[in-house]
Amino acid sequence: MSDHVYKKVEVVGSATDSLEHAIENAVERAGKTLRNMRWFEVDEIRGHIADGKVDHWQVGVKIGFTLDDHN
């Protein structure tokens, strides 16, 4: 097994229906520009309130990925 070097980026996902969907939105969108994604960490949860109810969720997500080897 070779050694790896990892990098993390931070994104914010949002959704109107659930925290899980907000996380999935963040990971899926990041996957359009990042390769080799390996894990995520949720480090922030917040939401928007409208008319006394939760209107949408926002989740801060750190995504870890391996860096490409360039030989």
Side-chain angles (χ1 to χ4, degrees), residues 2 8 15 19 21 23 30-31 35 37 39-41 43-44 46 51-52 55 58 62 64 66 68-69:
S2 63
K8 290 194 285 187
L19 292 170
H21 196 195
I23 294 166
R35 293 186 308 275
M37 294 189 306
W39 76 89
F40 69 89
E41 306 169 28
D43 66 347
E44 291 182 279
R46 62 181 170 269
D51 298 322
D55 186 55
Q58 293 179 331
K62 292 180 182 177
T66 54
D68 288 337
D69 289 328

Side-chain angles (χ1 to χ4, degrees), residues 40-60:
F40 69 89
E41 306 169 28
V42 174
D43 66 347
E44 291 182 279
I45 298 173
R46 62 181 170 269
H48 178 74
I49 299 170
D51 298 322
K53 297 180 181 179
V54 174
D55 186 55
H56 70 270
W57 300 93
Q58 293 179 331
V59 181

Side-chain angles (χ1 to χ4, degrees), residues 60-71:
V61 180
K62 292 180 182 177
I63 298 174
F65 59 97
T66 54
L67 295 175
D68 288 337
D69 289 328
H70 293 288
N71 296 326

